[in-house]
Amino acid sequence: MSASSKKKLRKEQNAAAMTQKQQKEMKDAKALKNYTLTFVVVMVLVVAIVLGVTISNPINVALDQSTTAITIGDHVLTIPDLTFFYVDAIQNYKNEVKNLYYNQYPSYWQLFLGYDTYSPLDEQIFDEKEGTTWAHYFMDEAIKEATATYALIDLAAKENYTLSDEEKKDLDTYFNSLELFNDLDTYAKGIYSNSVTGEGFKAYYSARTLADSFYANYVSKLEYEDKDYREFEKGNYNVYSSFNFAIYGVSANKYLTGGTKSEDGKTTIYSDKEKDEAVQKALKDAQALMNKESVEKFDEAIKALEVNKDNKTAASTKNKNTFYNNISNKDVQTWVGNASRKEGDMTCITVNETVTLEDGTTTLRPAGYYVVFFQGREDHKYQSVDVRHILVKFAKANKDDKSTTYTLAEKETAKKKAEELLEQWKKGEKVDEDSFAALAKEKTEDTGSKSNGGLYEDIYKGQMVEAFENWCFDKDRKAGDTGLVETEYGYHIMYFVETNEMTYRDHMIKSDLVNEDAAEWRDELVEKATVVEGDLSRMEWDMITG
């Protein structure tokens, strides 16, 4: 079987598994987050037994379990059934926000949620115009997801689609792993609600897994022609391009002088005249940075500015392989993305701020300037590549040494180990991609690729560290090539799988095409579904999510 055929087969076999894996990772993350909570729940139960305290009213639980919350087609969902979707809607939202902001604001990501995690959801306004609360928002999301899940399940049944043996095995393994920690009832109640059961959780999670698998199977079969790609990128050409440029911000605040202290003495207040003078000084310095023949000369001019006399590290910020949509300032984005832009072009862009005037109206006023040096663009019209690798990390001879630099002897130790592993593979019974993958699963120290045999697919320029990437994109590289590459991480034993037929640009376009078409298909299924709302009064509208 050719490498291309293997890749196609891998993608078809793993499409559903990847979706399931993402779902499982989310659930596992939540399980981990709730280990403490579950422990507290168990301890409360123990104390309750000792003291004879009733934790929940069995009548209320029975009512929840017998109350129809919604009906989707032929599927009747009780309060506990919908609770699974409701709680996961909240957790998914929190995960999305955390992924967006956690790296920038590790301790403060919750500030971006939009609601207070320590107050009841039904007491916090989501949409003032509509008069809805955050509880309403999450309930709507839960019902949408439940509808999509059962619409997909019904279509899967109609097409006789079932989980693969491997997916069934993964499900069993997942449930067994949860039961090793605690019984499933306690686990489910600790995370979702006291009215749910372990069996209910298994049914819920199994349904979501089947729906995800069927959806992924549909996605894996979507195919397009070149004309589809060209039509899709019209008006969005820059979106699939990346740019190299150096940028330096000249802030007017650095040039403020004078001012008067506020009554409490904590802040300095500047007059409009003082602010205008600061803006003019900033503009003068920004213009002095223009028309430089290289980035090096640009940086020399930045260091030479009087305002930077005490700043020995003053320099432009180098943006390398930055995709168009990742350029935050819209004016910089537009200038950089201009089709006529050429290497060495420079510009000075005004950065405005909104100020409120005495009469209450607002206006824009310059707050500073961006000076930009254009270094080039990459339209990604080359073919991406697939490689496998085995990482042998550098290690300290002295384990108590916490520095991040390594001696020549330490590097030689890693190199020798890598050479021995490569020789071991070459002397094996089979010298092919499968045997290399098996060795990678056993020996690699790269946790990101260990489970899939060291495989990285659809590698694009700018994605990997330079030495690794240079080996991958060598013009003479061919399937089956091996070699050793040194990077700051250690030594990589490389195995070149293939150069893909599709350009990386078209790979990105196809991804967006697939996402758009699949989402539209899913939305149509949801719209056609018959949903009848039952009694939602017993849902936990006043949930506190902290």
Side-chain angles (χ1 to χ4, degrees):
M1 184 182 288
S2 68
S4 296
S5 298
K6 281 185 177 181
K7 181 175 182 178
K8 188 169 187 287
L9 180 61
R10 265 199 313 271
K11 288 197 171 183
E12 289 176 352
Q13 290 177 333
N14 292 338
M18 285 184 66
T19 305
Q20 182 180 336
K21 183 184 176 208
Q22 291 165 354
Q23 178 80 0
K24 185 181 290 187
E25 284 174 348
M26 180 275 289
K27 189 71 72 174
D28 286 344
K30 182 158 64 171
L32 181 61
K33 180 183 173 194
N34 283 281
Y35 278 174
T36 304
L37 172 62
T38 308
F39 175 77
V40 170
V41 171
V42 173
M43 291 308 296
V44 170
L45 287 170
V46 171
V47 172
I49 292 170
V50 172
L51 299 178
V53 178
T54 301
I55 297 301
S56 61
N57 186 330
I59 295 176
N60 287 335
V61 171
L63 281 172
D64 287 346
Q65 293 175 349
S66 62
T67 299
T68 297
I70 58 170
T71 302
I72 303 169
D74 296 330
H75 305 276
V76 177
L77 277 67
T78 62
I79 296 297
D81 295 332
L82 187 55
T83 295
F84 289 121
F85 289 96
Y86 182 62
V87 173
D88 277 354
I90 296 169
Q91 190 60 43
N92 287 343
Y93 176 79
K94 290 173 73 174
N95 286 342
E96 287 173 9
V97 174
K98 187 172 184 178
N99 289 338
L100 282 173
Y101 297 109
Y102 184 78
N103 289 333
Q104 295 171 290
Y105 313 98
S107 301
Y108 307 104
W109 67 271
Q110 285 191 1
L111 292 174
F112 298 91
L113 285 173
Y115 69 90
D116 178 7
T117 57
Y118 297 101
S119 297
L121 289 174
D122 64 343
E123 294 180 5
Q124 303 181 63
I125 297 298
F126 173 76
D127 188 326
E128 289 188 10
K129 186 177 179 181
E130 297 294 328
T132 54
T133 65
W134 277 91
H136 288 107
Y137 169 75
F138 288 123
M139 188 60 68
D140 287 344
E141 291 299 301
I143 292 174
K144 286 177 188 174
E145 194 58 38
T147 303
T149 296
Y150 288 104
L152 287 165
I153 286 175
D154 286 345
L155 187 55
K158 191 178 294 185
E159 297 184 9
N160 296 317
Y161 181 89
T162 59
L163 293 178
S164 67
D165 290 341
E166 187 66 27
E167 287 171 321
K168 292 174 184 175
K169 182 180 177 182
D170 286 344
L171 265 181
D172 290 339
T173 300
Y174 177 57
F175 292 139
N176 289 338
S177 67
L178 292 180
E179 287 171 344
L180 282 174
F181 168 72
N182 214 325
D183 71 89
L184 215 50
D185 262 353
T186 303
Y187 169 83
K189 291 178 189 298
I191 293 176
Y192 292 97
S193 164
N194 201 58
S195 66
V196 306
T197 64
E199 286 303 309
F201 170 73
K202 287 178 73 172
Y204 162 74
Y205 190 74
S206 298
R208 293 295 296 270
T209 300
L210 175 57
D212 286 345
S213 178
F214 181 67
Y215 179 79
N217 180 66
Y218 173 83
V219 167
S220 71
K221 294 177 179 178
L222 291 174
E223 294 292 340
Y224 303 92
E225 298 177 1
D226 183 70
K227 63 182 178 63
D228 299 317
Y229 300 137
R230 305 290 73 82
E231 182 64 29
F232 192 80
E233 72 177 347
K234 281 183 180 178
N236 293 296
Y237 190 86
N238 283 335
V239 170
Y240 303 101
S241 301
S242 57
F243 302 85
N244 299 322
F245 60 95
I247 186 169
Y248 180 72
V250 184
S251 172
N253 286 338
K254 288 185 176 182
Y255 299 85
L256 285 168
T257 57
T260 57
K261 287 288 184 182
S262 60
E263 291 183 3
D264 59 10
K266 292 182 179 180
T267 60
T268 301
I269 302 171
Y270 296 95
S271 67
D272 287 341
K273 181 181 178 182
E274 289 167 334
K275 291 177 181 178
D276 289 340
E277 288 174 350
V279 168
Q280 291 305 311
K281 291 176 183 177
L283 176 59
K284 183 179 178 181
D285 274 2
Q287 290 172 335
L289 300 177
M290 291 289 291
N291 303 318
K292 304 307 175 191
E293 59 199 49
S294 66
V295 172
E296 290 72 26
K297 293 293 184 182
F298 181 33
D299 282 343
E300 287 176 12
I302 291 169
K303 287 183 180 179
L305 293 176
E306 177 66 20
V307 73
N308 288 331
K309 64 181 181 181
D310 297 324
N311 184 359
K312 296 180 180 180
T313 61
S316 61
T317 299
K318 313 303 186 292
N319 290 266
K320 185 177 180 182
N321 202 44
T322 302
F323 278 91
Y324 186 74
N325 283 343
N326 291 335
I327 302 173
S328 57
N329 183 279
K330 294 301 179 184
D331 292 327
V332 174
Q333 185 188 65
T334 299
W335 183 82
V336 166
N338 190 299
S340 65
R341 194 66 52 231
K342 59 184 184 298
E343 187 175 349
D345 284 355
M346 293 191 72
T347 192
C348 178
I349 294 173
T350 304
V351 181
N352 291 309
E353 64 178 349
T354 302
V355 295
T356 303
L357 303 178
E358 290 183 1
D359 62 2
T361 60
T362 60
T363 187
L364 293 177
R365 181 168 61 197
Y369 301 89
Y370 278 135
V371 183
V372 190
F373 189 108
F374 186 78
Q375 294 176 281
R377 70 182 292 150
E378 172 59 73
D379 289 332
H380 300 290
K381 291 183 178 180
Y382 56 85
Q383 293 157 296
S384 60
V385 301
D386 299 346
V387 300
R388 292 186 186 272
H389 82 128
I390 299 171
L391 173 62
V392 178
K393 287 184 177 180
F394 295 136
K396 293 290 183 181
N398 177 4
K399 293 183 178 180
D400 295 328
D401 184 355
K402 303 300 181 183
S403 67
T404 56
T405 56
Y406 298 89
T407 65
L408 287 175
E410 289 167 339
K411 289 184 177 182
E412 275 299 313
T413 299
K415 183 179 181 181
K416 183 179 179 182
K417 182 179 177 182
E419 289 172 337
E420 289 173 351
L421 283 172
L422 180 57
E423 193 62 24
Q424 174 188 331
W425 172 72
K426 287 182 176 179
K427 290 181 178 179
E429 185 177 338
K430 288 186 177 182
V431 184
D432 57 13
E433 182 187 348
D434 290 338
S435 61
F436 189 92
L439 185 63
K441 283 185 177 181
E442 180 185 354
K443 299 294 186 180
T444 189
E445 295 180 77
D446 174 22
T447 55
S449 66
K450 186 180 181 70
S451 64
N452 64 355
L455 180 65
Y456 281 102
E457 292 182 313
D458 300 308
I459 295 173
Y460 62 87
K461 292 180 180 179
Q463 178 184 0
M464 301 296 192
V465 291
E466 188 174 1
F468 190 104
E469 184 177 297
N470 288 343
W471 189 92
C472 292
F473 286 101
D474 186 294
K475 63 182 178 62
D476 296 321
R477 190 66 58 223
K478 61 185 184 300
D481 281 357
T482 58
L484 292 184
V485 172
E486 180 187 351
T487 71
E488 59 262 44
Y489 302 106
Y491 272 91
H492 305 257
I493 308 167
M494 308 293 292
Y495 182 96
F496 191 78
V497 178
E498 69 174 339
T499 298
N500 295 305
E501 295 177 8
M502 184 180 289
T503 65
Y504 184 66
R505 183 179 187 83
D506 283 352
H507 170 77
M508 289 188 286
I509 294 172
K510 181 178 181 180
S511 177
D512 284 350
L513 265 170
V514 165
N515 288 338
E516 187 176 288
D517 289 348
E520 185 178 332
W521 172 76
R522 187 176 187 267
D523 289 343
E524 286 177 359
L525 288 179
V526 171
E527 287 176 14
K528 292 176 182 177
T530 303
V531 181
V532 179
E533 190 174 301
D535 181 4
L536 296 177
S537 64
R538 299 194 62 79
M539 288 295 297
E540 197 172 342
W541 294 93
D542 59 348
M543 184 176 288
I544 296 174
T545 66

